[in-house]
Amino acid sequence: MSLDQAAYLELLARGAAAEAYDRPVLMARAHGADAETLAAMEHAKQLALRVRAELEGRRRREAELSALFETAHDLAGLRDLDAVLRAIVQRARSLLGTEVAYLSLNDTVAGDTYMRVTEGSVSARFQQVRLGMGEGLGGLVAQTARPYVTDSYFEDARFEHTGTIDAAVKDEGLVAILGVPLMLGSQVIGVLFAADRRARVFEREQVALMASFAAHAAVAIDTANLLAETRSALAELERANGIIQDHSGVIERASDVHDRLTELVLRGGGVDDVAAALSEILGGTVEFTEDAPRHAGTDGHAVRHRDDWIAEVSAGGEVFGALVLHGHPALDPVDQRTLERAAMVTSLLLLARRSAHDAERRVRGELLDDLLDAPDRDPRLLRERAARLGADLDTPHVVLAARIEGPGSGAGPASAARESADRRRLWSAASHLAATGAGLAAARDGGTVLLLPLAADDTPAALARRTARQLGGTLREPVTVGASSPVASPAGDPTPVAAAYEQAGRCLDALRLLGRAGQGAAAQDLGFLGLLLADPGDIDGFVHRTIGEVVAYDRRRGTDLVGTMAAYFASGMSPARTKDDLHVHVNTVAQRLERIGRLLGPDWQSPGRALEIQLALRLHGMSAAVAEE
């Protein structure tokens, strides 16, 4: 080996720059080497440069392969898609020796493309740019699915320039750009870029390297999407499994409730048995109440009221009561449905019991009809019939007349059908009330009549109010109830029963005329009016004796002194308020009052006379209203 060859080996060994390989030839020429020696050295230099280029290529390929291997390793342990994409962009920038590298992805929902990862970028505008599909160098790459290189971006006319892209590229200062497509099958999902802020030619090997990185990036994105879909599917499966388990538990609980309630019905259980079973199932206290709370729902659903849950017990528009679960504010949907189902079972039990008692009710109605229409029946037979119905007609009873206060009556078949249906509903509810209260009930005169026992500590007025409230609550419509004075022994002496019914009917009519429809009352609740109702006597004579002179004067003269008196007493005997009510001058009121005093006497405004006059005015008004009807 010559010294010249050794010099070139030394240059290769220490990885000298290409310019250093000219020095041995220059030195030999300077020392006067002959032409043959110089030719040999030139040949040795060329060989050394070829070896150097080969070594450089192998080192570069080793680095590229190492980078690709590391990228594949990152993909194998993919946990964070952004981290993997960032590593790909960083390695592309490092191996290609560019100042900037970046990766954009297509947004199919928004219909544009956006910057996902950047490395070496200094412009915020460039890092946040969003581009329309088909715009810029990336648009050309996406359209052709092929890599594209530009040595000078702004002078390249092969792709569409836009103001947004050009402004972002100019802001970043980029000149030379290489873009390769990110492919999933035949679909372009984005572009991987490498760029410099000076003119540059990208070699074929560098383009191929970028394409390899782009393929890894596409795999990373696809893998991440698959993982996301897998996680979503697993989460959905977990939710579905939870729902299945919950439904399984619901079915088991519902089956248990169904079995319990079915067994209870088959063995002839009653409402109390349903409440007891429900208390055990729900872990609370359940009771049945015949007075359905106003908070109870009407659509078959249980409703919460404070710490209680209430389920209405009804059927066919008739309310029997409600099941109330006490002290159980937190009720899940399954238990709520259990309460609602128990309410339905309770309504069916009550309907079945009512059907069984229909015959008994008819018998009760027939017995009451006999007491009203045939008081000469044998008392012994009356007692026997009453005993079979659980009634004791030798104790004091009260006769009650009841009428439902539905919508105003009208003409036509629809109105008649509605009134008939209301009478049937009232009779049904009254019969049930009578049966549970050891009494009798019958449909009569467009309404219902009841004969109920009177307890020692009770009064006819209280019994009437309670009956109106119970019937109104059951029917969810106002029911007016008038009560008679007590009948000592309906079986021992049935004669007073018919008179008591007439008294109760008059009391009912008086309540309606007095604007107290939907209430219950007895004669004693109505004061002097009640005394007159209890013993009618000569009502017309009472009115005539008390205010007859004024009525006759109005009839002869066409005046309305009766109306003036009514307004005067209604205003608290104040002439000033009376003139406002009548819309006349106060002197006119004074003149009319003076005329009334001459007709009735100077003491007509004394407390005793004033009370009688007001009662007579009310009776006169009632008589006029009845006459108009």
Side-chain angles (χ1 to χ4, degrees):
M1 178 184 299
S2 66
L3 292 176
D4 297 331
Q5 292 175 338
Y8 284 115
L9 288 176
E10 182 183 355
L11 291 173
L12 287 171
R14 59 187 178 87
E19 295 81 1
Y21 286 80
D22 291 331
R23 187 175 303 166
V25 178
L26 294 174
M27 289 181 65
R29 186 177 288 114
H31 287 88
D34 56 27
E36 185 179 351
T37 300
L38 292 174
M41 292 184 69
E42 185 67 30
H43 179 69
K45 183 186 77 169
Q46 294 300 325
L47 290 175
L49 287 173
R50 286 169 58 187
V51 172
R52 179 183 180 278
E54 184 66 25
L55 292 174
E56 285 292 330
R58 290 186 178 183
R59 280 195 295 269
R60 185 171 63 252
R61 284 192 292 274
E62 283 184 9
E64 293 171 357
L65 290 174
S66 176
L68 292 174
F69 176 78
E70 292 174 359
T71 301
H73 182 268
D74 290 341
L75 290 177
L78 177 65
R79 292 295 181 269
D80 183 356
L81 176 62
D82 285 336
V84 174
L85 295 180
R86 191 175 298 108
I88 290 173
V89 172
Q90 289 172 348
R91 289 166 187 155
R93 179 193 178 203
S94 174
L95 288 175
L96 270 67
T98 58
E99 295 174 288
V100 181
Y102 50 98
L103 183 148
S104 67
L105 291 179
N106 295 342
D107 188 338
T108 56
V109 176
D112 61 5
T113 184
Y114 64 97
M115 200 72 71
R116 178 66 181 269
V117 181
T118 65
E119 178 69 21
S121 172
V122 295
S123 168
R125 178 191 298 183
F126 183 79
Q127 296 167 10
Q128 299 173 6
V129 69
R130 295 186 74 96
L131 311 174
M133 293 293 188
E135 297 177 351
L137 177 64
L140 186 61
V141 173
Q143 286 178 347
T144 62
R146 294 173 55 191
Y148 269 86
V149 179
T150 179
D151 299 336
S152 179
Y153 174 82
F154 291 100
E155 297 176 2
D156 199 327
R158 291 176 300 168
F159 46 83
E160 179 184 355
H161 287 269
T162 67
T164 302
I165 302 175
D166 288 355
V169 172
K170 185 175 182 181
D171 200 39
E172 188 64 53
L174 301 181
V175 177
I177 303 176
L178 163 63
V180 295
L182 301 177
M183 303 288 296
L184 281 181
S186 60
Q187 181 183 4
V188 179
I189 63 171
V191 179
L192 177 62
F193 298 91
D196 263 336
R197 296 186 176 91
R198 55 184 174 78
R200 168 177 177 166
V201 176
F202 289 95
E203 299 176 0
R204 184 169 54 188
E205 292 81 359
Q206 293 174 321
V207 175
L209 177 61
M210 281 288 285
S212 298
F213 278 124
H216 282 301
V219 170
I221 294 170
D222 190 38
T223 302
N225 290 336
L226 290 175
L227 286 175
E229 292 175 1
T230 301
R231 294 190 187 101
S232 177
L234 288 174
E236 189 65 29
L237 285 174
E238 289 179 359
R239 286 193 295 270
N241 185 53
I243 293 172
I244 291 172
Q245 291 180 348
D246 291 342
H247 284 185
S248 177
V250 168
I251 293 172
E252 290 179 3
R253 291 169 61 187
S255 176
D256 178 61
V257 171
H258 176 77
D259 292 343
R260 294 281 297 275
L261 294 178
T262 300
E263 179 186 0
L264 188 150
V265 172
L266 291 176
R267 62 182 174 84
V271 174
D272 292 338
D273 297 318
V274 173
L278 197 58
S279 298
E280 182 180 347
I281 292 170
L282 299 180
T285 301
V286 178
E287 68 168 349
F288 172 76
T289 174
E290 292 186 354
D291 294 327
R294 59 186 180 87
H295 310 287
T298 58
D299 56 357
H301 295 295
V303 297
R304 179 179 172 182
H305 177 60
R306 297 178 182 170
D307 289 341
D308 298 337
W309 282 84
I310 305 171
E312 183 182 83
V313 177
S314 61
E318 184 176 350
V319 179
F320 302 116
L323 289 178
V324 182
L325 173 61
H326 294 290
H328 208 316
L331 199 64
D332 63 36
V334 179
D335 290 339
Q336 182 177 338
R337 179 58 182 152
T338 297
L339 180 60
E340 294 165 356
R341 182 175 297 177
M344 181 179 66
V345 171
T346 303
S347 67
L348 294 176
L349 288 174
L350 292 175
L351 280 176
R353 187 172 69 182
R354 174 170 294 185
S355 297
H357 293 334
D358 274 348
E360 176 186 334
R361 291 173 185 167
R362 285 191 290 272
V363 172
R364 289 178 184 274
E366 292 170 357
L367 176 56
L368 182 52
D369 284 336
D370 286 345
L371 290 172
L372 291 168
D373 300 331
D376 55 346
R377 293 293 181 98
D378 185 348
R380 181 179 58 82
L381 295 178
L382 292 176
R383 291 189 178 94
E384 290 178 357
R385 291 169 62 186
R388 287 196 293 270
L389 298 173
D392 182 5
L393 297 184
D394 283 317
T395 61
H397 281 63
V398 173
V399 177
L400 302 109
R403 188 178 295 272
I404 190 170
E405 302 294 341
S409 60
S415 177
R418 169 63 190 266
E419 291 178 4
S420 177
D422 285 345
R423 288 195 294 269
R424 288 195 300 271
R425 291 170 57 223
L426 178 60
W427 174 81
S428 178
S431 298
H432 176 68
L433 180 62
T436 56
L440 305 176
R444 200 173 185 89
D445 300 329
T448 298
V449 56
L450 299 94
L451 182 67
L452 299 180
L454 182 67
D457 57 349
D458 205 356
T459 65
L463 182 59
R465 288 192 293 272
R466 190 163 59 250
T467 302
R469 185 173 62 254
Q470 290 172 335
L471 293 178
T474 299
L475 299 176
R476 289 194 175 277
E477 289 193 58
V479 175
T480 308
V481 177
S484 72
S485 300
V487 178
S489 175
D493 183 12
T495 304
V497 176
Y501 173 55
E502 292 180 0
Q503 184 186 108
R506 290 193 299 270
C507 184
L508 184 150
D509 291 337
L511 286 173
R512 300 177 76 189
L513 288 170
L514 293 172
R516 293 175 58 181
Q519 300 181 22
Q524 59 264 37
D525 287 332
L526 306 180
F528 278 121
L529 179 59
L531 294 176
L532 292 171
L533 292 170
D535 184 13
D538 185 11
I539 294 178
D540 292 339
F542 172 80
V543 173
H544 179 73
R545 288 190 301 270
T546 306
I547 61 172
E549 292 292 334
V550 178
V551 173
Y553 184 91
D554 282 343
R555 189 178 298 116
R556 290 193 309 271
R557 300 295 183 88
T559 57
D560 190 18
L561 295 181
V562 170
T564 300
M565 278 195 299
Y568 180 62
F569 285 119
S571 66
M573 302 175 70
S574 167
R577 288 196 292 270
T578 302
K579 63 96 175 176
D580 292 334
D581 292 340
L582 297 178
H583 305 290
V584 297
H585 195 274
V586 68
N587 292 336
T588 303
V589 175
Q591 292 171 2
R592 293 179 182 180
L593 295 178
E594 182 181 1
R595 172 62 63 183
I596 292 170
R598 288 200 296 268
L599 292 171
L600 298 182
D603 65 338
W604 73 281
Q605 298 187 60
S606 65
R609 288 289 308 279
L611 179 60
E612 292 180 355
I613 291 171
Q614 290 180 69
L615 179 58
L617 287 170
R618 183 64 62 88
L619 291 171
H620 178 71
M622 290 170 56
S623 299
V626 171
E628 291 177 358
E629 291 183 350

